[in-house]
Amino acid sequence: MLNTDHLFSNDTADVDRGLVHAWLSEQAYWALGRTREAQDAAIDASRNYSVRDAGTGEQVAYARVVTDATTFAWLCDVFVSPDVRGSGVGKLLIEGVVADLDALGVRRTLLATADAHGLYAQYGFEPLAEPSRWMGRGRV
């Protein structure tokens, strides 16, 4: 997708760590209260993606992927600044992530979302064919 107003990056050095931490720990339902130390550790152990405003350089979106870079990936911490939602930034971000993972040859990518099914469906994500085969373990 051509978007001349915003620039996609898969370079971790382009991530504004303080901004990402503020977004996720204060506004993202899945990460409320996450510490800066935990967020930095997650960034360091993941593939990271950002979208910046082409004019100001300000970061306007973020996503990260936990992966072995061969067979499996988990897309998580996807966040688009409320100021640019609805402008195509989310599409640019997911399109870039998917292209990066496809170039690696990753066979399966999973994600969890409460409210963005339509966005992800545009890039081939669909409900699990056999959800009863999948299990999860969480810690309180």
Side-chain angles (χ1 to χ4, degrees):
M1 168 166 62
L2 181 60
N3 183 326
T4 58
D5 295 330
H6 297 95
L7 304 170
F8 171 84
S9 174
N10 62 358
D11 186 346
T12 298
D14 289 338
V15 173
D16 181 334
R17 290 173 179 247
L19 178 62
V20 168
H21 174 254
W23 280 341
L24 297 178
S25 67
E26 298 170 12
Q27 298 180 51
Y29 64 84
W30 65 90
L32 294 174
R34 184 181 290 169
T35 67
R36 174 66 189 263
E37 294 76 18
Q39 184 60 48
D40 283 343
I43 288 171
D44 291 339
S46 303
R47 294 181 76 84
N48 297 276
Y49 307 90
S50 61
V51 174
R52 293 187 169 274
D53 182 287
T56 66
E58 178 184 356
Q59 185 170 339
V60 295
Y62 173 77
R64 72 182 179 92
V65 171
V66 180
T67 184
D68 62 10
T70 304
T71 62
F72 179 80
W74 171 45
L75 173 59
C76 56
D77 287 347
V78 177
F79 192 90
V80 176
S81 171
D83 297 337
V84 298
R85 288 181 189 161
S87 69
V89 167
K91 290 181 179 183
L92 178 64
L93 179 63
I94 301 307
E95 182 175 292
V97 170
V98 167
D100 186 58
L101 295 176
D102 285 351
L104 294 173
V106 172
R107 295 186 54 196
R108 177 172 287 120
T109 304
L110 296 180
L111 63 83
T113 184
D115 55 7
H117 297 79
L119 170 64
Y120 297 116
Q122 295 175 53
Y123 298 95
F125 289 90
E126 55 190 26
L128 295 175
E130 297 182 71
S132 63
R133 295 181 69 177
W134 293 87
M135 297 178 72
R137 179 176 182 266
R139 197 172 63 146
V140 178

